[in-house]
């Protein structure tokens, strides 16, 4: 297998890691403290709450039972999770296809315009999410700009219902997550050694082959990071699916959200959240294991 | 070497449909990039146009006006919310960059016990639904007796922003030439100095990218903010959310237009400035 | 040198300001309200007249407010709960009794808002705004007549309907249609209406509680069951949007001001309540929110157009016929799950 080996050679093995002395320990302490206080402790609290009950006002009553988990093992929550993962997957694939060439182009541009172009990728998102989304709605709606254009060009006789469809959902998701794919890939492309590519050309390789066998493997860490940064947050995302999709397909993020903001059932919401975390961490752990075993 | 192995001639059918030659490839990527930029900027263009529209309802063009800009400058509450958003996003970005960069480097360079576990824990804030994070942090702050305000808000935002920086920086670290750091240390630099003088510059594009992502995420966060902000730290997304019910106010378009416009000008300006300096 | 000193002094004062509120003791009313529901003009006028500063914190649902309030997230002097939440808070002893001596403007309220079932005699709460849930339809596309829910959820309208994304609301429409009191959400009653709701929801295109007017105004749907305030905005935009209170029975919501027991400034809170009950102030709220104003004296100050908006002030309305939501406590979770289940199927 040519592709993984190329990347493996350039990535340092664990052998290059040094055992941490006092200095590194001190340096990593703030992050460890942060993780402990704001990630581990709240997560443990969630785990505790997920075994509790609540009263009529939604306050947690500390008790211990498995009821929330028994209730959580039901095909409908699984189906909802499945839909969420499917949307996240589609979003990730489309973002990768759309974003990679952009990241590559920007990363290979002259040093002077690189910074400018990468800023231009992010700046549209310094507006409010809702304003951007409502702008999209005014483009895609039945009396919107896109239909007006299509009908003006006589491409369609009757307006097309773009809004409140899976298409609109995926478009909204791709739009909002695209920069999180482009940026990490860009940082990988940016450090590409131009002479390696030159050498490949000198050896007579065609651009497509150079791209597939040199560029892609070398930017693999960026691709992996981009996939993580898009796929993971997209699973729990729900504002876009309700606004652009019409809310008839609830996602796991929305269901959990509703337990807190509508159903007054924090313990059940916590149980669903804990399960989501567990599934996610297990699959991440599995993929890490598989990746570690691969080179051997 | 694997590199040459990868390039060793493999018999393959001639693919006529693939671009031939680097120039064609570059033209293709360039066109693609322009297309994606059009996609990114279509709604933004619309938003800017509507900020000059003489109608409160967004859909139809009535006439040109700058009255929303005038009204915006009178709207102290909206401006204060915007300022709060900038403060929170700015502080969150700085903290996230610090935590994310140092952690990425240390976890890459040194061996810690339970390293794998730490690597997994970092992803929890990314996958955790915002409402779970918001409420659990609220309970934490209340239990610790910390009053809700800028501090709690920034802490909460940093918690879900720094993993983005960390992941981005880690990707850049993959394939780092170890001799880079060693050379610096051979010249007598302490590990800290070597990190600061050699590694940080090398990581700069990833740090900038991470900072951009952290800023964007924090600037637009709504749900976590609801639960962890106090009366003095109400941010822009909280205001915008409420406005949807009575119809989005074009003042918001004006504010977005100004912010984007000024940022773009600053960025382009700095480009021209550095260009002049080097020439 | 001197300049330097004043600069330092200024800096010190700014620092002190941030820390302690600097100098004279300022009175601050802490208001925890729905986002954008209290017009800034009203707050500014209150501060101008009384010198009391208002610190505003926002939420977007009753449950969000409950979660933050009960967790002890802050000490709020005034909250803005809806009717069923007021009932639940009273039941739990979370609200302070009002001193009616301090709120003489209560007299401005219409009599039917002085004795609502969730808080008889306004012992704990003061109505802010009321509204209804009803049917809005685009009369250019939907020929009508539309009288009740049954006329909305027909095959002819399949895929052209918007409804509130609110499980409790949807269930109440089903109960009303089945002739069951809308607060009777027992498991058995939920089971009874499940087939009906399944049929209805399969015809719905959009679920949206925040801005159902968007889909209607953009032509993506033709009719729906929405808040009266949304319909009023649509009517102002284009009179083709007609408004009907469902024949099966209609539901009224009442948002209120109330003082939680943890409040530190009860007197300031009562001052604010009295202030917003003044006709001229209440009228300002109506200008921003075209809901049903419970303040009879303020209604007199409305313009002809505002009063004639059929969604804000339905002609021939008998408020006493309106049904109110009462608190359903834990059963809310079942109601939510029912709608989620139907949506997923």
């Amino acid at each position: 297998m040519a592709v993984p080996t190329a990347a493996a050679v350039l990535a340092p093995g664990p052998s290059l890691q040094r055992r941490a002395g006092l200095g590194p320990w001190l340096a990593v302490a703030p992050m460890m403290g942060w993780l402990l206080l704001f990630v581990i402790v709240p997560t443990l609290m969630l785990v505790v709450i997920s075994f509790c009950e609540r009263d009529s006002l939604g306050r947690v009553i500390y008790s211990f039972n498995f009821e929330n988990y028994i209730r959580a093992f039901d095909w409908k929550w699984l189906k909802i999770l499945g839909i969420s993962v499917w949307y996240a997957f589609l979003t990730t694939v489309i973002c990768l296809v759309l974003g990679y060439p952009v990241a590559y182009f920007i990363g290979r541009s002259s040093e002077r315009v690189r910074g400018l172009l990468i800023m231009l990728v992010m700046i549209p998102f310094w507006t409010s999410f809702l304003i951007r989304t409502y702008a999209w709605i005014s483009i895609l709606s039945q009396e919107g700009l896109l239909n007006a254009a299509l009908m003006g060009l006589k491409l369609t006789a009757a307006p097309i219902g773009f809004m409140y469809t899976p298409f609109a959902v995926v478009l909204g998701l791709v739009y909002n997550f695209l920069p999180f794919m482009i940026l990490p890939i860009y940082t990988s492309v940016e450090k590409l050694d131009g002479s390696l590519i030159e050498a490949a050309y000198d050896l007579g390789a065609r651009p497509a082959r150079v791209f597939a066998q040199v560029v892609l493997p070398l930017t693999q860490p960026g691709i992996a990071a981009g996939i993580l940064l898009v796929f993971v947050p997209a699973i729990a995302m729900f504002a876009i699916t309700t606004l652009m999709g019409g809310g008839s397909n609830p996602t796991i993020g929305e269901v959990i959200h509703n337990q807190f903001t509508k159903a007054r059932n924090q313990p059940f919401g916590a149980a669903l959240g804990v399960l989501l975390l567990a599934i996610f961490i297990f699959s991440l752990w599995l993929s890490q294991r598989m990746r570690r075993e691969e080179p051997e | 070497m694997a590199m040459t192995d990868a390039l060793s001639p493999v018999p393959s059918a001639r693919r006529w449909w693939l671009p031939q030659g680097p120039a064609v490839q570059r033209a293709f990527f360039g066109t693609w990039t322009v297309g994606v930029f059009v996609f990114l900027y279509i709604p933004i263009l619309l938003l800017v146009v509507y900020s000059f529209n003489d109608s409160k309802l967004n859909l139809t063009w009535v006439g040109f006006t700058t009255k929303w800009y005038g009204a915006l400058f009178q709207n102290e509450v909206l401006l204060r919310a915007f300022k709060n958003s900038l403060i929170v996003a700015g502080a969150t970005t700085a903290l996230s960059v610090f935590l994310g960069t140092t952690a990425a480097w240390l976890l890459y360079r040194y061996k810690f016990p339970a390293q794998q576990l730490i690597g997994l824990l970092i992803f929890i804030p990314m996958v955790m639904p915002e409402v779970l994070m918001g409420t659990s942090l609220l309970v934490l702050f209340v239990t610790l007796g910390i009053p809700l305000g800028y501090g709690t808000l920034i802490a909460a935002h940093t918690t879900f922003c720094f993993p983005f920086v960390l992941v981005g920086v880690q990707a850049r670290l993959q394939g780092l030439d170890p001799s880079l750091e060693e050379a610096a240390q051979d010249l007598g630099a302490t590990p800290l100095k070597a990190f600061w003088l050699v590694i940080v510059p090398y990581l700069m594009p990833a740090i900038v990218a991470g900072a951009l992502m952290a800023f964007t995420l924090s600037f637009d966060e709504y749900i976590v903010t609801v639960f962890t902000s106090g009366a003095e730290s109400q941010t822009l997304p909280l205001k915008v959310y409420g406005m949807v019910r009575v119809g989005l106010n074009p003042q918001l378009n004006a504010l977005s237009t100004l912010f984007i416009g000024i940022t773009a000008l600053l960025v382009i300006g700095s480009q021209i400035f550095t260009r002049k300096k080097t020439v | 040198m001197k300049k330097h000193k004043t600069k330092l002094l200024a800096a010190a004062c700014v620092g002190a300001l941030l820390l302690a509120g600097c100098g004279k003791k300022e009175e601050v009313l802490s208001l925890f309200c729905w986002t954008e529901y209290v017009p800034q003009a009203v707050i500014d006028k209150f501060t101008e007249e009384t010198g009391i500063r208002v610190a505003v914190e926002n939420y977007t649902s009753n449950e969000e407010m409950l979660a933050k309030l009960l967790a002890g997230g802050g000490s709020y002097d005034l909250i803005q709960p809806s009717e069923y939440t007021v009932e639940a808070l009273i039941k739990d002893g979370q609200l302070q009794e009002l001193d009616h001596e301090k709120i003489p403007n209560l007299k401005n309220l219409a009599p039917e808002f002085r004795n609502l079932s969730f808080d008889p005699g306004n012992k704990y709460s003061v109505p802010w705004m009321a509204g209804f849930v009803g049917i809005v339809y685009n009369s250019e596309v939907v020929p009508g007549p539309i009288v009740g829910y049954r006329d909305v959820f027909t095959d002819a309208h399949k895929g052209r309907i918007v409804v509130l994304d609110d499980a409790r609301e949807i269930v109440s429409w089903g109960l009303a249609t089945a002739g069951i009191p809308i607060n009777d959400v027992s498991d058995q009653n939920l089971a009874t209406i499940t087939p009906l709701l399944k049929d209805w929801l399969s015809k719905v295109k959009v679920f949206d509680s925040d801005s159902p007017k968007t889909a209607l105004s953009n032509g993506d749907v033709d009719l729906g069951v929405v808040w009266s305030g949304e319909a009023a905005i649509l009517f102002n935009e284009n009179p083709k949007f007609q408004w009907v209170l469902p024949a099966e029975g209609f539901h009224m919501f009442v948002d209120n001001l109330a003082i939680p027991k943890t409040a530190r400034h009860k007197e300031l809170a009562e001052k604010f309540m009295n202030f917003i009950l003044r006709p001229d102030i209440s009228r300002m709220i109506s200008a921003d929110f075209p809901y049903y104003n419970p303040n009879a004296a303020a209604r007199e100050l409305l313009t002809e157009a505002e009063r004639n908006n059929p969604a804000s002030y339905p002609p021939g309305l008998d408020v006493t016929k309106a049904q109110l939501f009462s608190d359903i406590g834990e059963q809310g979770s079942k109601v939510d799950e029912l709608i989620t289940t139907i949506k997923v199927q």
Side-chain angles (χ1 to χ4, degrees), chain A residues 57-58 238 242 253-270, chain B residues 130-132 134-135 222-224 226-227 241, chain C residues 34 59-68 84-85 165-168 209-210 332-333 336:
Chain A
L57 276 184
F238 68 94
T242 48
E254 185 188 351
V255 167
I256 294 175
H257 188 80
N258 285 353
Q259 300 311 315
F260 287 79
T261 59
K262 285 182 180 162
R264 283 191 216 160
N265 198 345
Q266 295 196 32
F268 183 57
Chain B
E130 289 142 313
V131 72
L132 289 178
T135 48
Y222 166 67
I223 297 164
V224 172
V226 169
F227 289 102
Y241 191 96
Chain C
W34 289 76
Y59 57 83
T60 56
S61 80
N62 281 294
E63 280 63 31
E64 230 170 77
M65 182 269 289
L66 280 179
K68 207 168 172 181
Y84 66 95
T85 313
D165 194 9
D166 188 313
R168 179 86 199 271
S209 296
D210 294 319
S333 190
D336 187 72

Side-chain angles (χ1 to χ4, degrees), chain B residues 118-133:
Chain B
I118 296 168
L120 289 175
L121 288 176
I122 283 161
F123 288 102
I124 291 182
M126 274 173 69
V127 73
M128 178 108 83
E130 289 142 313
V131 72
L132 289 178
M133 190 145 149

Side-chain angles (χ1 to χ4, degrees), chain B residues 249-273:
Chain B
N249 194 322
Q251 287 176 36
L252 289 172
N253 294 29
L255 182 60
S256 299
T257 304
L258 279 179
F259 185 43
I260 291 188
I262 291 170
T263 321
L265 274 180
L266 282 178
V267 173
I268 295 169
S270 72
Q271 294 291 324
I272 294 168
F273 180 70

Side-chain angles (χ1 to χ4, degrees), chain C residues 2 9 60-61 107 120 138 151 161 186 233 237 250 325 327:
Chain C
K2 205 181 164 201
L9 239 160
T60 56
S61 80
K107 66 174 193 297
N138 178 346
D151 307 318
I161 303 170
S186 64
I233 294 172
E237 184 188 319
F250 65 98
F325 276 174
D327 188 59

Side-chain angles (χ1 to χ4, degrees), chain A residues 22-203:
Chain A
L22 182 65
W25 265 110
L26 280 178
V28 88
M31 197 278 289
M32 295 282 205
W34 200 280
L35 267 184
L36 182 72
L37 187 58
F38 297 122
V39 178
I40 299 175
V41 170
T43 308
L44 290 178
M45 272 167 25
L46 275 182
V47 174
V48 170
I49 290 174
S50 71
F51 289 102
C52 294
E53 292 169 76
R54 43 67 210 224
D55 67 6
S56 63
L57 276 184
R59 277 168 302 203
V60 176
I61 300 170
Y62 290 93
S63 61
F64 185 85
N65 64 68
F66 289 96
E67 218 150 283
N68 295 316
Y69 286 96
I70 294 168
R71 193 180 152 201
F73 281 103
D74 184 299
W75 63 271
K76 68 172 166 270
W77 313 119
L78 262 180
K79 189 173 169 189
I80 289 169
L81 179 65
I83 293 171
S84 315
V85 171
W86 171 241
Y87 273 135
F89 173 77
L90 272 183
T91 305
T92 311
V93 171
I94 297 173
C95 279
L96 182 60
V97 172
L98 275 182
Y100 193 96
V102 178
Y104 186 78
F105 181 80
I106 297 177
R108 305 295 296 160
S109 315
S110 79
E111 216 162 313
R112 202 177 293 133
V113 293
R114 253 181 238 166
L116 179 69
L117 288 175
I118 212 70
M119 277 295 283
L120 286 180
V121 170
M122 208 74 225
I123 285 179
F125 299 88
W126 293 5
T127 54
S128 270
F129 163 76
L130 281 171
I131 302 183
R132 288 195 302 272
T133 307
Y134 277 93
W136 270 117
I137 292 176
S138 72
I139 292 170
L140 298 177
S141 69
Q142 211 150 86
E143 288 167 18
L145 295 177
L146 183 57
N147 271 316
L150 289 177
M151 281 157 77
L153 294 169
K154 302 256 184 290
L155 288 172
T156 170
I160 301 168
F162 295 109
M163 272 310 293
Y164 312 114
T165 59
F167 163 78
V169 172
V170 173
L171 186 141
L173 284 168
V174 166
Y175 183 79
N176 280 287
F177 280 106
L178 193 52
F180 297 91
M181 183 64 83
I182 295 178
L183 264 58
I185 297 180
Y186 153 79
T187 61
S188 268
V189 172
E190 202 261 1
K191 71 171 185 189
L192 269 187
D193 189 348
S195 59
L196 262 176
I197 298 171
E198 301 283 308
Y201 282 129
D202 292 345
L203 286 170

Side-chain angles (χ1 to χ4, degrees), chain C residues 98-130:
Chain C
L98 305 179
D99 182 355
H100 284 201
E101 304 258 298
K102 300 264 174 58
I103 318 173
N105 285 339
L106 273 171
K107 66 174 193 297
N108 293 330
L109 285 175
E112 62 268 29
F113 285 92
R114 293 298 308 270
N115 214 7
L116 291 163
S117 57
F118 62 90
D119 179 21
N122 303 101
K123 260 175 93 178
Y124 297 93
S125 65
V126 167
W128 171 266
M129 273 284 160

